[in-house]
């Protein structure tokens, strides 16, 4: 099996979105500690996105709220489960649901839109994601899944994703 078979359902980046250029900056120990401390103060412990934002004239405070982190985790879990079902079962409905979910993820992932999503919508997505996870586990075990049950679950998960997207204002 090749590595791509293990890649999660995060949408692939277009070539123009991939970061391929590297800039090396040498700092003294004291300078490095200053930069790292400022990044931590501004809520971003990872230096690469912090320095990239500064260099591009953007706000380096990229840390999401707990609510947005929870919403983001739920989106990732839905994508992973849809990807598992698509790999195990195939089928046009599953592939289309995965593509729609990935498109919604792309629109929500970049920017602050996900901050506008209510706890209620996130909880609804989590509940529908739990049902989707059950089907993904069965599919991974090679169990038969009724077409009507799968279609019903896909319908509900896409409705929950659309609700999240509507609240975020990206739809």
């Amino acid at each position: 099996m090749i590595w791509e078979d293990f890649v999660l359902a995060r949408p692939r980046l277009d070539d123009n979105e991939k970061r391929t250029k590297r800039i090396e900056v040498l700092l003294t120990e004291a300078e490095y500690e200053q930069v790292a401390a400022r990044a931590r103060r501004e809520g971003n412990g990872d230096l690469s996105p912090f320095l990239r934002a500064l260099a591009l004239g953007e706000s380096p405070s990229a840390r999401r709220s707990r609510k947005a982190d929870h919403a983001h985790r739920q989106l990732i879990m839905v994508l992973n489960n849809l990807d598992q079902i698509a790999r195990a079962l195939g089928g046009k409905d599953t592939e289309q649901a995965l593509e729609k979910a990935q498109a919604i993820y792309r629109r929500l992932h970049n920017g602050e839109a996900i901050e506008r999503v209510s706890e209620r919508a996130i909880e609804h997505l989590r509940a529908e994601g739990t049902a989707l996870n059950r089907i993904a586990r069965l599919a991974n075990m090679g169990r038969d899944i009724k077409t009507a049950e799968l279609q019903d679950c896909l319908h509900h998960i896409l409705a929950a994703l659309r609700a999240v997207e509507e609240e975020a204002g990206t739809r």
Side-chain angles (χ1 to χ4, degrees):
M1 224 174 233
I2 59 174
W3 172 249
E4 285 183 336
D5 291 339
F6 296 102
V7 175
L8 300 179
R10 181 182 60 81
R12 292 184 188 273
L13 296 175
D14 294 333
D15 286 342
N16 62 342
E17 295 175 306
K18 293 179 182 176
R19 292 189 173 108
T20 60
K21 302 296 180 195
R22 180 182 302 265
I23 298 173
E24 187 172 338
V25 177
L26 297 175
L27 303 171
T28 65
E29 188 65 34
E31 290 169 332
Y32 178 85
E33 289 305 321
Q34 279 184 296
V35 171
R38 180 173 173 200
R40 284 190 300 275
R41 270 194 318 274
E42 297 198 26
N44 197 338
D46 188 357
L47 289 180
S48 287
F50 175 77
L51 291 172
R52 185 180 309 109
L54 280 178
L56 296 173
E58 299 168 0
S59 170
S61 300
R63 183 171 224 130
R64 292 187 296 243
S65 70
R66 292 184 115 183
K67 179 184 76 165
D69 279 342
H70 182 61
H72 188 260
R73 279 193 306 278
Q74 294 305 317
L75 286 167
I76 292 296
M77 285 189 266
V78 165
L79 287 171
N80 287 338
N81 285 321
L82 284 170
D83 187 55
Q84 289 172 13
I85 293 169
R87 287 173 188 263
L89 302 178
K92 187 176 180 181
D93 290 343
T94 309
E95 291 291 333
Q96 286 177 341
L98 177 59
E99 288 173 12
K100 288 177 184 177
Q102 287 175 329
I104 291 169
Y105 173 82
R106 275 190 210 97
R107 289 189 291 270
L108 288 172
H109 179 65
N110 295 324
E112 297 173 10
I114 203 162
E115 297 282 351
R116 294 189 289 270
V117 179
S118 70
E119 293 285 347
R120 185 190 59 72
I122 297 167
E123 183 56 29
H124 183 130
L125 181 62
R126 188 203 59 74
E128 296 299 340
T130 299
L132 183 70
N133 180 262
R134 185 184 67 76
I135 290 177
R137 284 195 322 260
L138 292 172
N140 286 335
M141 291 187 284
R143 302 271 175 86
D144 287 334
I145 296 166
K146 295 178 181 156
T147 303
E149 181 183 12
L150 176 61
Q151 287 178 337
D152 188 51
C153 187
L154 293 176
H155 170 76
H156 286 288
I157 199 71
L158 287 174
L161 285 167
R162 283 191 294 271
V164 166
E165 189 177 30
E166 250 177 53
E167 284 193 8
T170 59
R171 182 160 191 224

